[in-house]
């Protein structure tokens, strides 16, 4: 088990994950497995505490629209724990996340993101793609991997040519289904299969600037299993 990957409370430590991303210049992060291990909570709490503007992405418009409800707001538990009041506002294809009257981020769906190409996302520093691995019964998105690459290009634009850091992409999913569109597009299926076989939780590819975390030894998962 990579003990640094988990905090003292047993949940995923996003301070460590982002620290490693900066240290090794790997802005693309994929985290799979470990239901209830603090992926969404940890990512959104990190964003809130860092003050970085973000884009919260879901696969379909139906999933993205659900985020606007108080019941399925990704900040719901954080609001309860921290006494904050972060809510999603209105918008057809892109909607704001608002805290204390200010826009701190945006929400959108991968399946309809082509409608917002040309919009200026130069203030976005992190893309959080939540539940990027579809359930077996979910409807596929045409050219799903290419759609995600277009999101990155739309948000990132030419910021590296201007001396800025690239946008960070954090893809998270409870499922560890290997033959998903993103793993297939990134040619990661065999790599992740070997991770699972050997019990390795971290795979880093510096040449492609990406890191995969497979949460196989989560203390929280172990407690739940008992």
């Amino acid at each position: 088990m990579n003990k640094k990957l988990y905090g003292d409370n047993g949940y995923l430590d996003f301070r460590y994950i982002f620290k490693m991303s900066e240290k090794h210049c790997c802005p693309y992060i994929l985290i799979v497995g470990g239901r209830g291990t603090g992926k969404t909570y940890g990512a959104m709490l990190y964003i809130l505490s860092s003050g970085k503007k973000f884009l919260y992405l879901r696969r379909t418009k139906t999933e993205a629209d659900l985020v606007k409800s108080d019941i399925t707001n990704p900040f719901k538990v954080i609001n309860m724990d921290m006494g904050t009041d972060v809510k999603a506002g209105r918008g057809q294809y892109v909607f704001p996340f608002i805290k204390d009257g200010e826009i701190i981020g945006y929400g959108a769906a991968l399946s309809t993101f082509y409608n917002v190409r040309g919009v200026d996302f130069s203030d976005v520093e992190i893309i959080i793609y939540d539940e990027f691995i579809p359930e077996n019964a979910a409807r596929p998105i045409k050219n799903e991997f290419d759609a995600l690459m277009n999101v990155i290009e739309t948000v990132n634009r030419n910021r590296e040519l201007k001396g800025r850091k690239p946008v960070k992409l954090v893809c998270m999913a409870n499922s560890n289904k290997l033959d998903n569109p993103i793993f297939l597009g990134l040619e990661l299926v065999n790599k992740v299969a070997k991770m699972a076989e050997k019990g390795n939780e971290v795979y880093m590819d510096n040449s492609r600037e990406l890191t995969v975390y497979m949460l196989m030894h989560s203390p929280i998962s172990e407690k739940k299993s008992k």
Side-chain angles (χ1 to χ4, degrees):
M1 180 179 73
N2 186 336
K3 293 183 179 179
K4 294 182 179 180
L5 187 55
Y6 306 99
D8 294 337
N9 59 6
Y11 288 99
L12 201 57
D13 188 346
F14 272 88
R15 291 173 300 177
Y16 171 78
I17 289 173
F18 280 99
K19 181 180 178 180
M20 290 299 100
S21 173
E22 289 291 330
K23 180 179 179 180
H24 298 284
C25 299
C26 290
Y28 307 114
I29 303 164
L30 300 99
I31 307 171
V32 297
R35 184 181 296 274
T37 53
K39 291 188 292 296
T40 300
Y41 184 101
M44 306 317 284
L45 182 60
Y46 175 87
I47 284 175
L48 199 59
S49 61
S50 69
K52 298 180 185 295
K53 195 156 282 186
F54 64 93
L55 172 66
Y56 182 77
L57 195 67
R58 296 298 300 259
R59 285 188 69 251
T60 66
K61 192 172 186 303
T62 299
E63 292 175 13
D65 285 343
L66 283 173
V67 170
K68 301 174 188 178
S69 165
D70 289 341
I71 299 173
T72 47
N73 178 0
F75 287 98
K76 177 182 177 180
V77 181
I78 293 174
N79 285 337
M80 290 190 294
D81 289 349
M82 308 299 292
T84 52
D85 187 24
V86 183
K87 293 183 177 180
R90 296 181 179 180
Q92 185 174 8
Y93 298 117
V94 179
F95 53 89
F97 281 95
I98 302 169
K99 177 179 178 286
D100 299 330
E102 294 187 6
I103 295 175
I104 63 169
Y106 312 98
L110 178 67
S111 62
T112 57
F113 199 82
Y114 62 87
N115 289 286
V116 298
R117 284 182 296 183
V119 175
D120 183 3
F121 288 105
S122 59
D123 55 342
V124 170
E125 296 185 61
I126 301 174
I127 301 171
I128 300 291
Y129 186 12
D130 209 358
E131 296 300 346
F132 75 97
I133 299 179
E135 299 289 342
N136 291 329
R139 181 176 297 179
I141 297 173
K142 185 177 181 181
N143 300 322
E144 189 162 337
F145 175 71
D146 291 337
L148 179 59
M149 295 302 102
N150 285 333
V151 171
I152 296 172
E153 174 60 24
T154 298
V155 175
N156 199 58
R157 289 302 184 194
N158 299 325
R159 62 180 70 186
E160 290 162 281
L161 300 180
K162 299 176 182 178
R164 294 181 59 195
K165 292 182 179 180
V167 67
K168 274 188 170 53
L169 171 71
V170 183
C171 297
M172 306 184 297
N174 288 325
S175 172
N176 55 9
K177 181 182 176 184
L178 301 186
D179 59 340
N180 63 77
I182 307 307
F183 279 178
L184 288 168
L186 291 172
E187 299 180 352
L188 285 173
V189 175
N190 290 335
K191 295 290 185 183
V192 178
K194 288 181 180 178
M195 289 176 68
E197 181 182 341
K198 296 181 179 180
N200 295 334
E201 288 188 293
V202 184
Y203 167 74
M204 185 175 291
D205 186 338
N206 295 95
S207 64
R208 294 200 291 165
E209 302 180 335
L210 64 84
T211 309
V212 179
Y213 294 95
M214 184 172 256
L215 309 182
M216 294 181 287
H217 306 298
S218 160
I220 297 299
S221 296
E222 184 179 349
K223 288 179 181 179
K224 290 170 67 175
S225 69
K226 292 179 180 179

